[in-house]
Amino acid sequence: DADVTQTPRNRITKTGKRIMLECSQTKGHDRMYWYRQDPGLGLQLIYYSFDVKDINKGEISDGYSVSRQAQAKFSLSLESAIPNQTALYFCATSETGTGSDEQFFGPGTRLTVL
Amino acid sequence: GENVEQHPSTLSVQEGDSAVIKCTYSDSASNYFPWYKQELGKGPQLIIDIRSNVGEKKDQRIAVTLNKTAKHFSLHITETQPEDSAVYFCAASRGTGNTPLVFGKGTRLSVIA
């Protein structure tokens, strides 16, 4: 089984709809991240969380919100989706105190907003 | 904040040749520089990283070099193979664990058999 899972893997929605993307991990990591990937723009950080009670904005948080329901779960919401939020979204995890800063990425969710 | 520039955006090489991807960073306090490989339809995966206390690190056919004075670092892949074809991302952070990674925009490498 995959260590970092994302649901759904693909989603098509309409402008103005509320969308939630979910991320779960079985790695036992304390840190979780949401990234957006657009062609030619690399990976841009939306939000990150260092533990259940910690939420931080990234480079492009406008139009997004997150919820860290448990150590293993981190959800990304688009309250009112717009077409320029069409992108590939990745969740990632990492662990504090191991001496490694490696991030482990999920398989991604492809979101299309019409 | 940190800004990471990556070049080239696309790179084609013949199988067996070497490939070099270069990145520059702006924050002189950055001290952790990872490289991620993203295969088609998958999430990025760490392939090698370097910290600012060393100038070079190798792992089989992959090496990373770091020039702190010039604030640039490079990924070198020797004896390229078709399975090296992917998108490669460089990134930088202060490496304290409390500052997130800033990624470059990626390089699409194509290895032609």
Side-chain angles (χ1 to χ4, degrees):
Chain A
D1 289 340
D3 295 320
V4 183
T5 57
Q6 294 183 232
T7 55
R9 294 295 312 279
N10 289 281
R11 181 72 184 268
I12 300 174
T13 191
K14 295 182 178 180
T15 298
K17 293 292 187 180
R18 184 179 188 274
I19 296 296
M20 180 180 285
L21 309 183
E22 300 187 353
C23 177
S24 295
Q25 52 114 348
T26 58
K27 301 184 76 65
H29 288 174
D30 52 346
R31 299 185 172 196
M32 299 187 74
Y33 311 82
W34 274 106
Y35 290 93
R36 168 178 171 157
Q37 184 177 25
D38 297 277
L41 292 180
L43 293 159
Q44 297 175 284
L45 184 63
I46 306 172
Y47 272 96
Y48 60 104
S49 169
F50 285 165
D51 64 40
V52 175
K53 297 181 180 179
D54 176 75
I55 300 290
N56 304 280
K57 292 183 177 180
E59 308 165 65
I60 56 163
S61 59
D62 288 349
Y64 302 94
S65 63
V66 291
S67 174
R68 186 83 184 265
Q69 302 97 320
Q71 186 185 37
K73 296 184 182 296
F74 193 35
S75 300
L76 176 71
S77 293
L78 289 67
E79 296 301 325
S80 180
I82 56 177
N84 75 2
Q85 291 177 314
T86 293
L88 189 55
Y89 291 85
F90 287 101
C91 174
T93 73
S94 68
E95 188 173 20
T96 313
T98 62
S100 171
D101 293 306
E102 180 176 1
Q103 292 189 15
F104 295 84
F105 285 79
T109 294
R110 185 168 297 280
L111 177 66
T112 302
V113 184
L114 302 177
Chain B
E2 176 65 276
N3 182 50
V4 177
E5 299 283 343
Q6 182 171 349
H7 299 281
S9 57
T10 61
L11 179 61
S12 292
V13 299
Q14 294 289 328
E15 182 178 358
D17 287 350
S18 296
V20 180
I21 303 171
K22 298 182 179 181
C23 289
T24 60
Y25 61 98
S26 61
D27 184 356
S28 57
S30 288
N31 59 13
Y32 175 64
F33 307 94
W35 286 89
Y36 283 78
K37 175 183 181 181
Q38 183 180 25
E39 298 178 344
L40 194 62
K42 297 183 178 180
Q45 184 173 11
L46 180 72
I47 54 171
I48 195 167
D49 58 13
I50 191 168
R51 298 188 186 270
S52 58
N53 57 343
V54 298
E56 184 175 5
K57 184 177 179 180
K58 291 183 179 180
D59 183 3
Q60 300 182 352
R61 297 185 297 107
I62 294 173
V64 57
T65 59
L66 171 66
N67 183 325
K68 289 189 294 182
T69 302
K71 290 191 283 189
H72 66 71
F73 57 111
S74 300
L75 178 70
H76 305 253
I77 306 174
T78 58
E79 301 174 12
T80 53
Q81 301 169 3
E83 53 265 37
D84 295 327
S85 294
V87 178
Y88 292 82
F89 294 99
C90 63
S93 80
R94 293 189 174 185
T96 62
N98 294 326
T99 55
L101 290 173
V102 176
F103 284 86
K105 294 183 178 180
T107 296
R108 182 174 299 278
L109 173 64
S110 299
V111 179
I112 304 166

